[in-house]
Amino acid sequence: MSSQSTHEPTIRPIKVRHALKGRSVDPKARQDVCALLDAAGTVAPRRRDLLIEYLHRIQDRYGHLSAAHLAALAAELNMAQAEVYEVATFYHHFDVVKEGEAPPPALTVRVCDSLSCEMAGAKSLLARLPGILGRDVRVLPAPCIGRCETAPNAVVGQNPVPRATVEKVSRLVAAKATRQVTGRYVGYGEYRKRGGYGLFAACLAGKRGHEQIIGTMEDAGLRGLGGAGFPAGRKWKIVRAEPAPRNMAVNIDEGEPGTFKDRYYLERDPHRFLEGALIAAWTAGVGEIWIYLRDEYAGCRAILEKELAALAADPPCALPPIHLRRGAGAYICGEESAMIESIEGKRGMPRLRPPYVAQVGLFGLPTLEHNMETLYWVRDILEKGAAWFTRNGRQGRKGLRSFSVSGRVKKPGVHLAPAGITVRELIDEYCGGMLTGHSFYAYLPGGASGGILPATMGDLPLDFDTLQPHGCFIGSAGVMILSDRDRAVDAARNMLRFFSHESCGQCTPCRAGTAKALQLMQNKEWDRPLLAELSQAMMDASICGLGQAAPNPVLSVMKYFAHELT
């Protein structure tokens, strides 16, 4: 007979946890964060959609985002720390410092390495500046900063350095000139004296009708000038037909290499754009307006903050709420749905469609989305009439186009020219010709994603729908001019490096495709069948226009510049 054990099991007491699992919130860090948010007038409960604005506040104050401050911000917003961390690490301009890591130097110098700046000597600047400026200054390559007409460009803190040299950058660093200085522009008082906001007031007073305004815009044929080219009047009509309430989102995330027209107009006449936005919002029955401005445009942000405050302090008539939101360095946020995600305080990842933003957009409401320059022309068209706009044009095209021209021309810059003008005419009539000693070799008609064409095709009309048969498009009209001293294959590599860096990573065709294409393009001889197959997969399966258009420079080189590959 077996005997049973009489040994009693050991019962261990449950340990009492005195803190929550995961990273604990440092009281001092939370006090720091609360003080910053309180100083900005942000009262509790803190708003989740302002996450990116809060991150900017912390970074502007401390120069980086520490793990302790991120944890404190998450607690203050009642969000998971991982969610705050993933937003902070998505954007290039946020410096997230992990526990135990040293923070970055107090001053950062960014040198643009996009195509126009690379042609103007950016590589030499990037190679020389670190040794000259020393360890206390961080030097980083940066994607296009929207100042291609003054290439090469650097940014010291938030202060742009046009036509940058080692000496210019060194002087600004020594002077600690890190804040943007704005130039002369038409302010609120001057704009009102010139009849500004009279048209918007007339709309509110019933002197202009919604249908009349939409009809004028449709007769003018004004199309979206951010790249997609959707007719503005039709867009207003579509959004107005959606159930209220409705929102408006203005896209000034001008990140396409070669494009800088939005900055040009904002730096000179910001209220002309603002009045156009108000008229568009009223016509489409929009209740609130959000303006999304890229972080590289610190000077434009200072202008808009000042002028929006002046407008609110002395309004010409009743105004809808207008909110200014600051980007954080992400080209993908130029895509309308990615911009909307960013305004909502999230990672800037494009949404799957349908539904379209006109149906379900910002904060789940029907949304009128527009590029800044499109709205800039609204007042002129409505005051001068559709015929004023349409009588401009060449080769059967109608309207005006703002061309951002950079590269090997004597007069780079924003040139307002007739729609349908050819690149040869643009160079000769508006840009003062090619640089001395340079011959016209090739051009990019629509920025980084618009493809590359040889000079022998320089007589094509530059407008919507004219370049597609040749594998290119005008996009936002960022025209980059190459000379006989450049190679299209080098330009294509520069573009693919940009797209690979700026892919949001959400879809495999774009994330892996841009990286693989760039790798294949480093070879002296390209595997053309593989690049063609890869390009087709990217164009067919990418979620948004970045991945769909990224192969254009590659395909252009294989089609028009095959002699450079042998």
Side-chain angles (χ1 to χ4, degrees):
M1 184 175 176
S2 61
S3 61
Q4 283 188 321
S5 173
T6 59
H7 179 70
E8 293 291 333
T10 302
I11 300 177
R12 296 179 180 176
I14 297 175
K15 290 183 179 179
V16 178
R17 185 178 294 275
H18 297 287
L20 296 174
K21 287 185 177 181
R23 185 187 304 277
S24 60
V25 177
D26 178 74
K28 176 62 169 60
R30 188 158 187 174
Q31 183 181 356
D32 293 342
V33 168
C34 288
L36 284 174
L37 303 191
D38 291 340
T42 304
V43 296
R46 315 293 190 186
R47 289 170 49 186
R48 164 69 176 79
D49 62 292
L50 290 173
L51 172 59
I52 293 172
E53 297 294 317
Y54 298 158
L55 291 170
H56 274 303
R57 288 240 162 225
I58 298 170
Q59 170 124 340
D60 288 347
R61 170 64 180 82
Y62 295 100
H64 63 280
L65 300 172
S66 68
H69 283 145
L70 289 178
L73 181 59
E76 191 66 15
L77 294 174
N78 197 26
M79 292 174 59
Q81 293 183 26
E83 193 175 4
V84 173
Y85 181 83
E86 71 177 10
V87 171
T89 54
F90 180 86
Y91 296 93
H92 302 317
H93 290 184
F94 289 140
D95 291 312
V96 177
V97 177
K98 298 178 182 177
E99 237 177 55
E101 289 184 346
L107 183 61
T108 296
V109 173
R110 288 183 165 87
V111 178
C112 177
D113 65 353
S114 287
L115 182 58
S116 295
C117 287
E118 184 177 273
M119 290 192 297
K123 285 184 177 178
S124 174
L125 277 176
L126 281 166
R128 296 174 61 197
L129 280 174
I132 293 172
L133 299 180
R135 295 182 180 179
D136 294 335
V137 179
R138 180 176 57 164
V139 178
L140 297 176
C144 187
I145 61 173
R147 298 182 178 274
C148 314
E149 80 277 28
T150 57
N153 292 283
V155 181
V156 178
Q158 294 182 352
N159 197 322
V161 187
R163 297 179 180 88
T165 63
V166 169
E167 292 73 24
K168 279 186 177 182
V169 173
S170 299
R171 283 199 299 269
L172 278 176
V173 169
K176 296 181 171 56
T178 59
R179 301 300 300 179
Q180 170 66 49
V181 178
T182 58
R184 175 76 175 85
Y185 65 89
V186 179
Y188 181 60
E190 186 178 352
Y191 184 76
R192 288 289 300 276
K193 288 178 182 178
R194 299 180 183 182
Y197 292 105
L199 182 58
F200 177 57
C203 292
L204 293 187
K207 298 177 182 178
R208 297 264 189 161
H210 302 97
E211 296 304 323
Q212 175 195 2
I213 289 178
I214 290 175
T216 302
M217 298 304 296
E218 290 183 324
D219 291 343
L222 180 67
R223 297 173 65 169
L225 298 173
F230 193 87
R234 192 192 309 172
K235 183 181 284 190
W236 298 3
K237 187 184 295 184
I238 290 171
V239 173
R240 185 172 179 81
E242 293 292 324
R246 310 173 191 93
N247 285 325
M248 181 176 185
V250 182
N251 192 336
I252 322 182
D253 193 67
E254 188 176 45
E256 181 79 13
T259 306
F260 45 90
K261 58 186 178 57
D262 291 353
R263 174 186 58 79
Y264 176 87
Y265 288 121
L266 269 178
E267 288 177 340
R268 286 158 178 80
D269 199 354
H271 286 280
R272 189 168 299 271
F273 142 66
L274 290 172
E275 185 171 10
L278 288 166
I279 292 168
W282 175 81
T283 306
V286 164
E288 291 191 62
I289 300 172
W290 275 262
I291 300 171
Y292 187 85
L293 179 69
R294 69 180 306 201
D295 194 35
E296 289 84 350
Y297 289 174
C300 292
R301 186 169 67 251
I303 290 171
L304 282 176
E305 287 173 346
K306 179 180 178 181
E307 297 308 312
L308 284 170
L311 177 61
D314 181 24
C317 47
L319 300 173
I322 304 174
H323 312 278
L324 179 61
R325 293 295 175 84
R326 179 179 172 185
Y331 166 72
I332 191 62
C333 290
E335 196 276 340
E336 60 178 6
S337 65
M339 174 192 66
I340 285 172
E341 289 286 297
S342 189
I343 292 174
E344 293 178 355
K346 306 171 188 173
R347 294 175 296 170
M349 288 191 166
R351 298 175 180 177
L352 292 171
R353 283 167 286 207
Y356 297 94
V357 298
Q359 303 163 310
V360 182
L362 185 59
F363 303 118
L365 298 178
T367 300
L368 177 64
E369 187 274 343
H370 260 312
N371 168 257
M372 175 264 162
E373 196 213 341
T374 310
L375 299 167
Y376 183 87
W377 292 112
V378 168
R379 178 186 167 189
D380 280 336
I381 290 173
L382 293 177
E383 286 185 340
K384 299 176 183 178
W388 164 81
F389 191 73
T390 58
R391 70 168 172 256
N392 298 282
R394 297 182 184 178
Q395 303 189 66
R397 317 303 295 182
K398 294 182 179 180
L400 293 165
R401 298 285 177 268
S402 300
F403 294 95
S404 305
V405 186
S406 62
R408 310 294 192 179
V409 293
K410 289 181 179 177
K411 291 171 58 181
V414 173
H415 299 288
L416 186 63
I421 193 173
T422 69
V423 72
R424 288 188 189 278
E425 293 169 335
L426 189 63
I427 293 170
D428 293 339
E429 297 177 31
Y430 290 84
C431 301
M434 296 291 294
L435 285 172
T436 302
H438 291 254
S439 299
F440 181 34
Y441 174 67
Y443 66 108
L444 288 76
S449 55
I452 310 173
L453 291 172
T456 54
M457 299 176 69
D459 295 319
L460 295 172
L462 291 175
D463 199 17
F464 298 112
D465 310 322
T466 61
L467 300 169
Q468 280 84 337
H470 308 284
C472 297
F473 56 81
I474 191 172
S476 55
V479 182
M480 307 166 84
I481 307 298
L482 308 185
S483 77
D484 54 343
R485 302 188 187 185
D486 306 306
R487 297 200 317 153
V489 66
D490 294 331
R493 287 194 185 105
N494 183 287
M495 298 297 96
L496 260 293
R497 185 177 73 242
F498 171 82
F499 289 129
S500 180
H501 181 262
E502 294 298 319
S503 174
C504 75
Q506 180 177 192
C507 66
T508 302
C510 178
R511 181 185 67 250
T514 52
K516 181 63 176 178
L518 182 60
Q519 180 185 0
L520 292 170
M521 293 166 69
Q522 302 306 317
N523 299 325
K524 186 176 181 180
E525 292 189 15
W526 289 8
D527 187 335
R528 299 188 209 179
L530 182 55
L531 276 169
E533 183 181 357
L534 179 61
S535 297
Q536 192 63 53
M538 292 172 64
M539 291 187 292
D540 290 343
S542 294
I543 289 174
C544 81
L546 191 158
Q548 295 164 10
N552 285 340
V554 184
L555 297 174
S556 295
V557 167
M558 294 194 294
K559 184 175 183 179
Y560 300 114
F561 302 93
H563 60 280
E564 293 188 8
L565 300 174
T566 57

